[in-house]
Each structure stands twice: as C-alpha cells, then as structure tokens.
Amino acid sequence: ANPGAEPKPLHKVASGGELSRVLLVLKTILNEEKPSLLQVFDEIDTGIGGSVAQIVGEKIRALTPRYQVILVTHAPQIAALAHQQFLIEKTSTELSATTSVRQLATDERVS
C-alpha cells in the first residue's frame, strides 16, 4: 500500500498486469511442489515495458524447459523470446466478428 493508506485485498488494488505477474511468481513456486505441464499467461505485460518486460520475458522463458507455455502479449521484448509465435487477428463487421490464428513465418516474426 502507499504510505498512509490502509492495506487492502490484492484483488481490489492490483491491476490485471500486476495480478498476472503475481501469478507468475506463485506458479513458479507452486510448480516446484506439484508441476503442471501447461502454463497459460494472458497479457502479463500490462503496464510494463522496457527492461522490466525483458526480465518478465526471461522469467517466463525459464519455465519452457519444463513446461509448455502459452502467452498472450503485446510486448516485443517478451514475444521475441518465444520458440514459436502466432498472430491472432479479429475482424469485425456490423453483423459478426471472426478471430483467426496463424503461425508466423521467420520473416514475419521480425516484423
């Protein structure tokens, strides 16, 4: 909590990105006791960038020798560390919305 502020439950004061990063720490610790084969993180990069995003990406990358990791991110520092990258696109009209997923080719990964 900020100086002078009363402590409050984490779910009331933390942003979505902060909650995701707390989850990363908890999953890392808990997986030492009871491993899961799949780890999923959704937009763990919310509210961070630069060197902090790089560190978060490295922590996630450190999970990959033991786990399959699926991660949704907008941060290039994190995406660049992936073994494979997929592009998820949403196309909307007045009547419907369609989402497509495709694996990126090597030259597309750089872009």
Side-chain angles (χ1 to χ4, degrees), residues 20-62:
S20 292
R21 290 183 290 279
V22 169
L23 182 61
L24 172 60
V25 171
L26 291 175
K27 282 185 172 187
T28 301
I29 293 167
L30 293 174
N31 281 330
E32 292 174 3
E33 296 296 318
K34 186 178 178 187
S36 171
L37 298 177
L38 175 66
Q39 303 295 316
V40 179
F41 299 97
D42 184 13
E43 299 195 20
I44 199 167
D45 59 332
T46 302
I48 63 171
S51 61
V52 174
Q54 180 71 31
I55 292 167
V56 169
E58 290 168 2
K59 296 292 184 189
I60 294 167
R61 177 70 183 234

